[in-house]
Amino acid sequence: MTAPQSPRPTQPSAPLEQDTVPVRTDSPKQLVGIYVRGMAMGAADIVPGVSGGTIALIAGIYERLINALGSIGPNLWTIFQQEGGVKGFAAIWRQVDATFLLCLLLGIATSFATLAGIIKHLLDNQPLLIWSFFFGLVVATVFILLSEIKRWNIGRVALFATGLIAAVVISSMPLLTTTPSLPYLFFAGAIAICAMILPGISGSFILLLLGAYDAVLEAVDTMNLSAIFTVIAGMAAGLLLFTRALKWLLSHYYQATLALLTGFIAGSLIKVWPWKVDALGSLNTEAVHNVMPWQYPTGAQWSTTVGLMLLGAILVSLLSWWGNRTNRV
């Protein structure tokens, strides 16, 4: 399967003009495609251990997303002043690629509204099935992205290994149990949104690690506005700082950055390993310890698990083909 074509050359490109985003005019069909990609990202972000950034990368919209988010900053006020009024707002809209971001966010929101309950039910009642599907999806993603790295050298191998080790260490960390304060929720939101954008590391899993996942869900369920706005503010702060750095790396060192990101994705396989048990070797909501398939209490269920892995691999390969075809057009 052909990987999405890199928008960057294999050689380090010339620095882009600061905060410049190419003006894109999408057709209605392309906007629907962006919306569908947003739904896929939202579905992945619901699962603690799978990153929506992984889907964005394999679907060929990752760099456009980072460029759009990285263009948000104080310079927007200068752009508004230069034009003024409605023209100023229109200039800002074009600068941040807002139509693209809006369609993507609508897709993500649709997934959260329609699929969150279904995925949560599967995670609670059929964890082997849902983890098998995502395991196959992530394995296929790693192979597709590895094929996109044109020339391997010691530096890129080291970056791949660094990303892999970092993801394994993060995925293996014990979960914190704490009653988060508002400043802590701000910090957790900032870290989680960075992970959500970074392929291979799940934002929801970071919230779990920091002991804030249940608090955030409860805040949304009870409409605790102070907690909700605190988390949103933390996410906004983390997003603006992190994406500007990532935008610069992608502009100047695309292949090296891709090697690092692919390492993160490969390391996340330890988190999405399907066969999990609790500390006593049984199955419940605390089943977080990986075991060999033949050690699983209900048996490996090879036909079901391998079939779902293949389904995940096929779907991500089709998504890669779609992203590649769209970029060519």
Side-chain angles (χ1 to χ4, degrees):
M1 179 58 61
T2 304
Q5 294 299 312
S6 167
R8 302 286 175 197
T10 55
Q11 296 295 331
S13 58
L16 297 177
E17 183 179 343
Q18 186 175 5
D19 295 327
T20 297
V21 176
V23 177
R24 297 282 295 266
T25 302
D26 296 295
S27 67
K29 182 179 179 180
Q30 289 171 321
L31 293 177
V32 171
I34 294 168
Y35 173 81
V36 173
R37 289 172 173 85
M39 288 190 65
M41 289 177 62
D45 275 324
I46 295 170
V47 182
V50 183
S51 170
T54 301
I55 302 299
L57 187 59
I58 202 67
I61 60 169
Y62 187 71
E63 190 172 7
R64 184 177 180 183
L65 173 62
I66 296 302
N67 283 336
L69 294 174
S71 68
I72 300 173
N75 66 308
L76 295 181
W77 176 245
T78 303
I79 294 174
F80 176 77
Q81 287 181 315
Q82 289 174 348
E83 299 287 345
V86 175
K87 289 184 177 179
F89 281 114
I92 291 175
W93 187 273
R94 292 191 300 271
Q95 174 70 14
V96 301
D97 204 359
T99 303
F100 164 78
L101 289 178
L102 179 61
C103 289
L104 202 65
L105 287 173
L106 285 174
I108 293 172
T110 300
S111 273
F112 273 83
T114 58
L115 300 178
I118 297 173
I119 292 178
K120 186 177 185 304
H121 174 79
L122 290 173
L123 286 171
D124 291 339
N125 297 280
Q126 298 290 342
L128 184 61
L129 304 185
I130 194 80
W131 288 124
S132 295
F133 172 78
F134 279 106
F135 187 82
L137 183 149
V138 174
V139 168
T141 297
V142 171
F143 279 104
I144 290 171
L145 294 179
L146 285 175
S147 69
E148 192 183 350
I149 300 174
K150 305 305 179 185
R151 290 198 304 271
W152 285 95
N153 54 37
I154 295 177
R156 290 173 186 173
V157 170
L159 286 169
F160 175 83
T162 299
L164 188 149
I165 293 170
V168 169
V169 169
I170 292 172
S171 299
S172 304
M173 290 173 61
L175 305 182
L176 296 178
T177 55
T178 180
T179 302
S181 61
L182 289 181
Y184 189 82
L185 285 177
F186 180 91
F187 168 78
I191 299 298
I193 196 64
C194 292
M196 194 172 293
I197 291 296
L198 193 64
I201 301 179
S202 163
S204 53
F205 179 61
I206 293 298
L207 288 177
L208 274 175
L209 284 179
L210 297 175
Y213 187 75
D214 290 337
V216 171
L217 288 183
E218 183 181 355
V220 173
D221 186 52
T222 60
M223 290 302 294
N224 184 341
L225 295 182
S226 61
I228 292 173
F229 285 123
T230 299
V231 173
I232 291 175
M235 288 183 169
L239 192 65
L240 295 180
L241 292 174
F242 179 72
T243 52
R244 294 181 77 84
L246 195 53
K247 176 183 176 182
W248 185 88
L249 288 172
L250 287 169
S251 297
H252 294 77
Y253 305 102
Y254 180 82
Q255 291 279 307
T257 305
L258 183 61
L260 178 66
L261 297 180
T262 306
F264 276 123
I265 297 172
S268 72
L269 286 170
I270 191 175
K271 178 59 184 173
V272 296
W273 180 254
W275 296 277
K276 303 176 185 294
V277 297
D278 64 10
L280 299 177
S282 57
L283 302 175
N284 57 31
T285 56
E286 303 300 322
V288 295
H289 301 283
N290 295 338
V291 297
M292 292 294 102
W294 51 87
Q295 295 174 322
Y296 198 66
T298 61
Q301 302 182 38
W302 289 115
S303 59
T304 302
T305 54
V306 172
L308 287 169
M309 288 178 190
L310 289 174
L311 176 62
I314 290 170
L315 288 179
V316 82
S317 298
L318 290 174
L319 187 61
S320 172
W321 171 82
W322 184 27
N324 180 47
R325 181 173 178 271
T326 302
N327 285 337
R328 285 202 308 268
V329 173

